Amino acid sequence: MADHQQHQQQQQPIMRSLHESSPSTRQIVRFVTAATIGLSLLVLSGLTLTGTVIGLIVATPLMVLFSPVLVPAVITIGLLTMGFLFSGGCGVAAATALTWIYKYVTGKHPMGADKVDYARMRIAEKAKELGHYTHSQPQQTHQTTTTTH
């Protein structure tokens, strides 16, 4: 009997730890929901793949028959689409640039205006330095020619 009590006392901590570590009802519901959704999506993925393969099997002979017409048509449509997209992109870029210039000229200080002002100032400084350099050059050339004569 003492052995039986010791055996039950040893099992109690094990049973308590198993009970404490068992998942709660909420965790079980989450797992079942996630498994159901995952399985449903897996089935839908398989059906989509099957439909795609069947569609490809049916469409391949038609594509082979009509390829002399379809390939140039697809190339033409692709080029037209790229041309329209590029044209639209250039139009948007031009409108954006004109809007920025309008804001800059009217003094609304658009984003990046301080960088433009700084660059303009630096260019003016360089031009002034080069202008000073070019004005001094003819005098030096004139002085060297008069001394050699």
Side-chain angles (χ1 to χ4, degrees):
M1 180 125 167
D3 282 339
H4 183 62
Q5 283 180 345
Q6 271 186 340
H7 186 63
Q8 279 186 345
Q9 287 175 354
Q10 288 175 351
Q11 280 186 343
Q12 276 183 341
I14 294 171
M15 293 299 283
R16 188 177 308 132
S17 66
L18 281 176
H19 181 68
E20 289 172 358
S21 67
S22 65
S24 67
T25 307
R26 185 175 182 162
Q27 289 174 331
I28 292 172
V29 170
R30 281 184 182 175
F31 174 76
V32 169
T33 304
T36 304
I37 291 171
L39 187 62
S40 300
L41 291 175
L42 188 63
V43 168
L44 285 174
S45 174
L47 289 173
T48 304
L49 178 65
T50 303
T52 303
V53 169
I54 290 171
L56 189 61
I57 290 171
V58 169
T60 300
L62 294 173
M63 290 178 140
V64 170
L65 288 174
F66 293 112
S67 65
V69 174
L70 290 177
V71 171
V74 168
I75 291 172
T76 304
I77 290 172
L79 288 174
L80 284 172
T81 303
M82 286 190 293
F84 281 123
L85 288 175
F86 182 74
S87 173
C90 288
V92 168
T96 304
L98 288 173
T99 302
W100 189 93
I101 290 170
Y102 174 76
K103 287 180 181 179
Y104 182 75
V105 169
T106 56
K108 294 182 181 172
H109 197 72
M111 185 170 53
D114 51 343
K115 292 181 182 181
V116 171
D117 292 336
Y118 177 75
R120 185 172 33 131
M121 183 184 68
R122 294 284 301 190
I123 290 170
E125 288 174 2
K126 289 290 181 184
K128 190 182 251 185
E129 289 175 14
L130 288 175
H132 178 68
Y133 177 75
T134 55
H135 286 301
S136 63
Q137 284 295 323
Q139 293 170 355
Q140 290 176 355
T141 307
H142 181 65
Q143 289 175 354
T144 54
T145 56
T146 55
T147 57
T148 56
H149 283 65

